[in-house]
Structures are given as C-alpha cells and as structure tokens.
Amino acid sequence: MSTIALVLSVLFACAIAVVAYRLYRKRHLPAANKRLPFLQPIPRKLTAEERAAIEHYFKLNEHLQSSPLAPASTAESLALTPQSENIYAATHAITRYGLVTDAPHTWRYYLDSTEIHLPPLWEQFIAEENHVELIRTAGIPLVIALNGHSLVDYVYAPQTVNPPQTVPNSSMREQENEQVELLNIRKETPQEHAVNRPSGIREAAMVSAALLLLFMSLLAPVVAVPWLVAVAGLLILCGGWMLFRPPSQRTRLDIHCLRGTPKRWGLFGESDHNRLATVSLGIIDLTYPPHWLPFIDHDLGKKTEVDIYINRQVVRQGRFLSLHDEMVNFPVQRWGKNLVLFCSSMLVLCLLLAYVPLSLPLTLSTAWLKGAQNIQATEAKTLEAAPLRIGDTLKVQGTGMCFVDTTLTTAPKNPFLPFDCSSIYWNNAVPLPTPESDTVDKAVALLNTVDTQLHPELNSDPKINPVLANAIQKSGMILLDDFANIVLKTQDLCGDDAACARLKTALVNLANARDWPSVVKRARSGTLKGVNVLLRPVSAETLENLVNAATGSFFASETRLATNALNSPPPGGVLISSDEGKLLVDHPLPINSLYDYTGVAQWRELQRLSSMLLHTPFSAQGVITNISVDVNGTRHIALHSEPDVIAVWRYLGTTLLLLLVIISALVNVCLAARRLLKSRHRDQEIQRYYESCFNPDLPNVPLKTLP
C-alpha cells in the first residue's frame, strides 16, 4: 500500500511540475516567440541564400529599422534569433498608419493587430489580399517576401525610396491631412496594468489545491508526506507570487502618447449606441472604455493629448479622463479570488473536523509553544507537590491501587474488570483489605452441607450404616442424613421472611410441616435430629437448583457491595490515567472476566483480583493531556504516550493547517463581502467623479475614495 501511495505521489508531483512549468513558459514567453494568429501552423526552413540576404539587408538598412511607435526600437530589434530559422506564410490584408515625427520613415504596417517590418520599396506592391512570408526576430516579425517579391532580389535593387503609389483595392489606410504628433512612448503604470490584470481565480485555485494537499498529507502514509507537502508548498509560493507580485517591466505594455484633434465621422441618431467606434485621431480609430461615453464629447474637435495602446485602446485623454486616476481613487474590486479561497478553506476545515482528531494536536501544540518540562517521581508526595502543566512529560513508578469500575458492564474495557488498571490511585494511605462478607460465608456453608448430603460418594464420614447407605444408593434414592442442618443454615442465610421463598417452601414440604417457622422451631429443638429424608433423583436435582439460585443472588449482591466499597479510596493522592486505555501494571492477564463467573466462583475471583491489584507495582510514562482535582482532593492526571518525531510533526501540521484555514476563511469572507459591496457602487462613484470634473458649477458631492 505504501509503495502504491509513493508512486501515485511521485506521478502527481511530476504532473504538477509540468503544468507549473508550462504556465511559467506561457506567461513569460517573449512577444516574438508567441504564435501569431494569422500564420499557418507548418513553416518551412530558412535557406542559406535567404539568410545571407537578410543579414545583408540588416547591414545596409540599419537606419530603417527604427520605428516611431515600436517598443524598444533599437538596431537589435530585428536581430536574428534561433526562432528565425522558420519561415511562415500567410495571406492577409496589410494596414498602414502614418504619424508626424522627426524620423525619416513615418509609416507603420500591421497584420491584424501585429506590427510587421516591411522593406520601404515594397509599399507599392501592397494589394487588398497579400501573400507574405515572415520570420520572427528579436523584435517585430520581418517580411522577407511580398506578393512574389523576395528579399533576395531586394538587397540588390537600388536603395532609393519612391513615393508610394495608390494601388486599386489596396487595404492601406492613407494618411489624412490631419496629422498626429507622437510625444513619447512610455510603459503603462502599475495602476493601468491592473485594469486588465486577471481576476486571480486561477492563482486562488492553485492555493486551494495546496490546502487540499496539506490535508491529505495528514492522513497519507509517511513516505508520501514529504512529496505532498513539497508540492503544496510549491503551489502556495507560485500562487502567492502570481497574486501579489508587482508587474515587471516586461509585462507592462507600451503606451503611445499622441497629440491631435479627435473627430467623430458619420451621422448617427440618438438611438445609436456604437458611436465610440467612429472617433478617430488622424487616421487612427480610437476605442474608449464604455463608461467614458458621456464625457468624450468635451474633447472632440480640440487639440488634445491622447494615450493609447498599440491596439488603439485609449487609457488617457485630455485633462480628466484617465484609467490611472480611476484605479488610484476607485480600484477595481476583484472578489472572485476571495470567494474561491473562502470556499476552499471551509471545505478543508470541514474535512479536518470530520476526519482528523483535533483535541490532542491542539492541546499538545499549545503546551509546546508555552514550554514543556520533564518530571519524574517515585513517591506520591512528590507528584502531589509538583507544578504540573498540560504538555509536560511525566514518568512515575511506585505501588498503587487499580481504579475500580462499578458500572458492572458486560463489555469490559480491560481484562481486570471490575478493576481498571489503565488508571491507578497513588497515595500514602494504608491499602484497602481484601473483601470479606458473613453473608457469603453463610451461603458457602449452606452450599457445602447440601452438596455433601446430595453427593454421599464425596462424604468420607457417613452418619448412617454403610450397608444401609449402599442399599439406598442401589435403589436409586438419595438420603439427606442431616436435614435439620440444611434447615438451620437456610434460616441463617435467609432470615428475611421474603428471601428464599421457593427454597423454604420445598423444605417445608420435605419436613411435612405446616409452615416455615414450625420447621425452624423443630430443627432448633432437636426434633428433626436423626430424621432422614429420602429423595428421588429428580427431587434431589430440584433441591440443588433451588439452593444454587438462592445463594447465587446473595453472591451477586455481596460482590456488588464489595466492589462499591473498593471504589472509595482515601481522599488526596493522585489518579494517574492513560487516555489510550493502556494498562499501567505488569500482571498475567486473566482468562475470564470477573462477571463471566457465577455464584461463589465470582466472589473468589474478586478476592483474588483484590489481593493482587489493591496494592500493586505500576509504572507510567507519557505526555500530560489533562489535569483536574475532584471533590475529595484527588489530583487526576491523564497521560498520552510520547509521540514520535512523525507524530509530533503531524500534530504541529494539523494545528498550523487548522489555524491557516480558519484565518483564511475569516479574512477572505470579509474581503469578498467588502469588495463585492464596493464593486456594485464603483461605476456610480466614477460617474459622479467625472461629472464633478467636467461640470464644476454643480454642487460638489463628497467622494469616498476606495482604498
């Protein structure tokens, strides 16, 4: 079973590692290495001639490699990489943008939203649908072939740039008269990056999976525990790092700061809700956040600074509209991750309460944090005076009395019932005496006299002539040669008129008397002396059963009374108990329990156990799990076996996991409720904020800035 668990744990750890590695690679893959959506999946390899032409093009046209809007536009942005060995073919429209800059080339080319580098002399060959071949570089993809024109031929053509000619059905967007000025290129701020940041549910799911693995480690075999804990720790570190790490310079996108006059093109009715798509800055169509719709008209037709992403998404416009300011004053409230963490924490908490004992781990962990001590004692006085605390290690050895269980259960907790030797009374008082009872002695005397007369073969001193006794035996009859003794011993045992009613009735019939008092009177006066009673075997067996039944009730009651008396130790002292039910004495275990015996055998077994367990050597060692004092002043000390290293770590792990899920559940339910409430009012707060900015004459409404 342990081998199977180990194999499963290793496979699970490998699977988690592979998934984490792939997520890491996907998250940190450079832009040049990501799959382009418009490319065919099967590339061809770069030939030596094409490689030479590309390198020659780089050397001759280094001044053409800069791009006014490109991020990190350096001469190395078009350097070859190992991924440049693959040539991808695509058939797609090419879009061209133009900006006013001091750079010698003002045109930018795109396939969908992906910027490409196109050799300048190929502008005239752009058509509505273009067959292009591209390679990946350190920066943007490089076009090495366009509509049948190859870079191999391009590098030997004259390096003069002719003005682009208008091509019928071209997908190029011509530069308008209204020019756009590029102010600078900057990285988005952390606040702007947080607008489109993932909700964190994936990272919260990773942490939730780690909590489940930690719970499984509490129940898993020892060989699987390190693997489960290691994988859980890795998931927590990865999930926590992905949740709280600040955005790196690589993950923050480029923002182009432009200056121009935004205009709206076309005529639209009041019911047209798609007016945002008609606003352009020069030849650039702008895309606005939906909640900016009521406020963008203030900047239309005016010279305005606009910050946009490469996909034309506006992040700032004019003086007031700004995603950065929105995130500073009204942060996005993402409560989904908190809800996931709360649900997973409650699930693990329920599993802990259902499948893991928590009392002992919490008790011992709390005691160990406070500091535990080792205590040894060989005398009861020393242990009574010792300053004991829960969690201390105790080792005692001495002579004491086993605890007496008076519940008279038929399912004994230990083989010494009614003595429970998993608990020991330890004091300096005189040991209790072995149980004695006059009633038991009388019952034994009655049994003996009846047994002697009903079984004459066991009697070595017959009171009648042996010849007569032999003749009676051959006849099948049984002779009671001392009937008066039976009557007297019955009266001694059953002095109460209501006791032994059936036995007394039988004896009255055998004596041929009127009632029981008259029979007793005749026996005491000697009238029955010498009277012999002959019984058939059936009658003799009936008489013996009646005697056994009558004496059996006395044996049971006297055993119960004696047991109750033994459970009254002197006040003071200590009661040392094993909370695991382990025996604290070293004695041979009895074959049968006390209450498996009947009659006089039960009483004799009680006397044997009493003589052995009322004053017996014992030894106990373990960790104190409970301390209390009863009304008699007896100090109760509960011990648990000292845990090994594995058990100690399981106890500590159980306590830490319990505290972790409780804190996680409380914190996340509060955060989820708080963020959900604020998320409902965020749009209203932003609208009020912009209204106060664009309409300063309106009464100022106090704004509550969200943390």
Side-chain angles (χ1 to χ4, degrees):
M1 185 66 182
S2 60
T3 305
I4 296 176
L6 176 59
V7 172
L8 293 177
S9 302
V10 172
L11 293 177
F12 183 77
C14 294
I16 293 295
V18 170
V19 172
Y21 176 75
R22 296 198 61 171
L23 290 176
Y24 176 82
R25 287 293 305 273
K26 181 178 179 181
R27 189 178 182 90
H28 296 83
L29 196 62
N33 296 337
K34 294 181 180 179
R35 180 176 294 276
L36 302 178
F38 51 80
L39 294 184
Q40 297 178 2
I42 302 178
R44 68 177 179 87
K45 293 298 181 180
L46 187 69
T47 64
E49 184 181 9
E50 290 171 332
R51 173 180 286 276
I54 293 171
E55 293 176 350
H56 186 57
Y57 173 76
F58 288 166
K59 293 178 181 178
L60 294 178
N61 300 278
E62 289 182 357
H63 63 285
L64 299 177
Q65 296 182 21
S66 60
S67 182
L69 286 183
S73 57
T74 63
E76 291 76 13
S77 62
L78 291 178
L80 294 178
T81 65
Q83 288 77 21
S84 302
E85 293 294 330
N86 297 324
I87 298 178
Y88 297 89
T91 301
H92 207 278
I94 297 178
T95 305
R96 183 178 71 176
Y97 296 99
L99 297 175
V100 174
T101 66
D102 296 332
H105 300 282
T106 63
W107 300 107
R108 302 289 301 280
Y109 303 93
Y110 290 86
L111 293 179
D112 282 343
S113 60
T114 303
E115 183 180 1
I116 60 174
H117 178 87
L118 184 71
L121 295 182
W122 284 357
E123 295 177 359
Q124 56 186 320
F125 305 124
I126 299 176
E128 183 176 2
E129 288 295 330
N130 303 276
H131 180 73
V132 296
E133 291 185 349
L134 307 96
I135 63 171
R136 291 169 172 162
T137 65
I140 60 178
L142 170 66
V143 178
I144 65 171
L146 172 64
N147 297 329
H149 301 274
S150 175
L151 197 63
V152 176
D153 303 325
Y154 179 90
V155 295
Y156 301 108
Q159 300 301 315
T160 58
V161 179
N162 298 323
Q165 302 176 5
T166 303
V167 180
N169 298 325
S170 173
S171 64
M172 294 188 301
R173 298 192 53 181
E174 296 299 335
Q175 188 174 12
E176 302 292 339
N177 294 330
E178 179 64 34
Q179 301 296 324
V180 178
E181 181 182 358
L182 176 64
L183 300 179
N184 68 299
I185 301 175
R186 65 175 177 87
K187 291 289 185 181
E188 62 180 351
T189 63
Q191 290 76 16
E192 293 168 341
H193 178 81
V195 174
N196 300 317
R197 190 172 182 176
S199 61
I201 293 180
R202 181 180 61 179
E203 291 79 3
M206 294 174 60
V207 177
S208 301
L211 293 177
L212 289 174
L213 289 178
L214 290 176
F215 166 75
M216 293 172 58
S217 67
L218 300 178
L219 304 176
V222 177
V223 293
V225 171
W227 294 97
L228 294 174
V229 174
V231 174
L234 179 62
L235 289 176
I236 291 177
L237 290 178
C238 292
W241 180 73
M242 294 167 64
L243 275 175
F244 301 107
R245 74 181 182 95
S248 63
Q249 195 73 9
R250 179 182 300 177
T251 58
R252 291 161 59 185
L253 302 177
D254 290 328
I255 292 180
H256 306 87
C257 303
L258 309 176
R259 179 184 295 152
T261 304
K263 297 180 180 180
R264 176 178 287 121
W265 302 98
L267 299 176
F268 302 91
E270 294 181 356
S271 61
D272 189 354
H273 299 286
N274 196 31
R275 296 188 299 166
L276 288 178
T278 66
V279 178
S280 299
L281 186 66
I283 63 170
I284 303 175
D285 291 336
L286 301 179
T287 303
Y288 289 93
H291 61 279
W292 285 11
L293 174 61
F295 309 105
I296 62 174
D297 292 340
H298 293 79
D299 298 319
L300 296 181
K302 302 177 184 178
K303 204 72 171 180
T304 306
E305 293 184 0
V306 181
D307 295 353
I308 64 172
Y309 288 110
I310 193 64
N311 62 356
R312 304 181 301 279
Q313 176 71 43
V314 180
V315 296
R316 188 184 69 85
Q317 176 174 297
R319 181 180 176 184
F320 301 115
L321 296 176
S322 172
L323 293 181
H324 174 87
D325 295 341
E326 288 182 13
M327 288 298 296
V328 170
N329 296 295
F330 311 99
V332 175
Q333 304 297 321
R334 296 184 173 93
W335 49 269
K337 58 185 178 183
N338 299 111
L339 183 60
V340 171
L341 289 174
F342 167 71
C343 294
S344 61
S345 299
M346 291 302 299
L347 174 62
V348 175
L349 180 60
C350 294
L351 292 175
L352 284 172
L353 295 176
Y355 295 101
V356 178
L358 299 178
S359 176
L360 186 61
L362 289 177
T363 300
L364 297 183
S365 298
T366 304
W368 290 333
L369 290 176
K370 294 180 180 179
Q373 56 183 345
N374 295 325
I375 300 175
Q376 297 184 3
T378 56
E379 295 182 359
K381 291 183 178 180
T382 304
L383 189 58
E384 289 184 65
L388 302 178
R389 296 183 304 177
I390 295 178
D392 292 345
T393 300
L394 178 63
K395 183 178 181 180
V396 294
Q397 188 173 3
T399 302
M401 174 186 125
C402 289
F403 177 76
V404 179
D405 186 6
T406 59
T407 58
L408 300 180
T409 177
T410 57
K413 294 182 294 183
N414 59 74
F416 294 107
L417 195 71
F419 290 93
D420 183 3
C421 291
S422 63
S423 300
I424 299 291
Y425 279 109
W426 196 24
N427 50 40
N428 296 321
V430 177
L432 295 176
T434 302
E436 298 290 342
S437 173
D438 292 339
T439 301
V440 171
D441 293 339
K442 294 176 181 179
V444 171
L446 176 59
L447 282 176
N448 291 336
T449 187
V450 172
D451 187 65
T452 300
Q453 296 184 50
L454 292 180
H455 303 283
E457 65 275 6
L458 302 178
N459 188 3
S460 59
D461 185 21
K463 298 180 180 179
I464 61 174
N465 191 321
V467 177
L468 178 59
N470 189 24
I472 294 174
Q473 183 178 4
K474 289 181 179 180
S475 66
M477 303 294 287
I478 297 176
L479 176 65
L480 298 179
D481 56 0
D482 195 358
F483 182 74
N485 192 23
I486 295 177
V487 172
L488 293 177
K489 290 202 167 19
T490 300
Q491 178 61 23
D492 290 342
L493 178 63
C494 308
D496 189 359
D497 294 339
C500 311
R502 296 183 60 191
L503 176 59
K504 291 179 180 178
T505 301
L507 295 178
V508 169
N509 293 334
L510 291 177
N512 196 19
R514 185 176 65 253
D515 52 20
W516 175 251
S518 61
V519 175
V520 174
K521 183 177 180 181
R522 291 171 57 188
R524 288 177 177 174
S525 63
T527 305
L528 294 179
K529 188 175 182 180
V531 175
N532 299 321
V533 179
L534 289 175
L535 298 177
R536 296 184 179 88
V538 175
S539 300
E541 182 179 0
T542 301
L543 178 61
E544 186 176 21
N545 291 336
L546 291 174
V547 172
N548 290 336
T551 56
S553 62
F554 287 100
F555 286 130
S557 62
E558 290 299 310
T559 301
R560 184 177 294 106
L561 293 176
T563 301
N564 292 333
L566 293 176
N567 194 30
S568 301
V574 294
L575 177 62
I576 303 172
S577 303
S578 170
D579 59 6
E580 301 169 283
K582 293 184 177 180
L583 299 180
L584 305 181
V585 298
D586 187 13
H587 289 297
L589 300 180
I591 299 176
N592 298 318
S593 175
L594 170 66
Y595 300 107
D596 292 337
Y597 297 96
T598 58
V600 68
Q602 187 180 91
W603 175 261
R604 290 171 178 170
E605 178 65 13
L606 175 63
Q607 289 183 317
R608 187 188 73 83
L609 292 175
S610 300
S611 62
M612 180 175 62
L613 301 178
L614 287 177
H615 193 67
T616 180
F618 75 95
S619 62
Q621 182 176 358
V623 179
I624 299 177
T625 57
N626 188 31
I627 301 176
S628 61
V629 179
D630 61 16
V631 294
N632 292 328
T634 302
R635 195 177 194 181
H636 294 244
I637 302 174
L639 297 180
H640 188 86
S641 299
E642 291 186 79
D644 55 11
V645 177
I646 301 299
V648 169
W649 282 109
R650 286 187 186 272
Y651 291 160
L652 293 176
T654 301
T655 303
L656 293 177
L657 181 59
L658 179 64
L659 295 178
L660 177 62
V661 296
I662 291 177
I663 294 174
S664 175
L666 293 177
V667 171
N668 283 286
V669 70
C670 294
L671 289 178
R674 183 168 175 262
R675 289 176 175 174
L676 179 60
L677 182 62
K678 290 185 176 182
S679 179
R680 293 181 176 179
H681 302 286
R682 182 175 184 268
D683 292 341
Q684 299 178 1
E685 296 290 338
I686 293 176
Q687 293 292 326
R688 293 172 56 194
Y689 170 74
Y690 283 138
E691 289 175 358
S692 64
C693 291
F694 286 99
N695 300 283
D697 295 335
L698 295 177
N700 291 330
V701 181
L703 299 177
K704 183 178 180 182
T705 301
L706 299 181

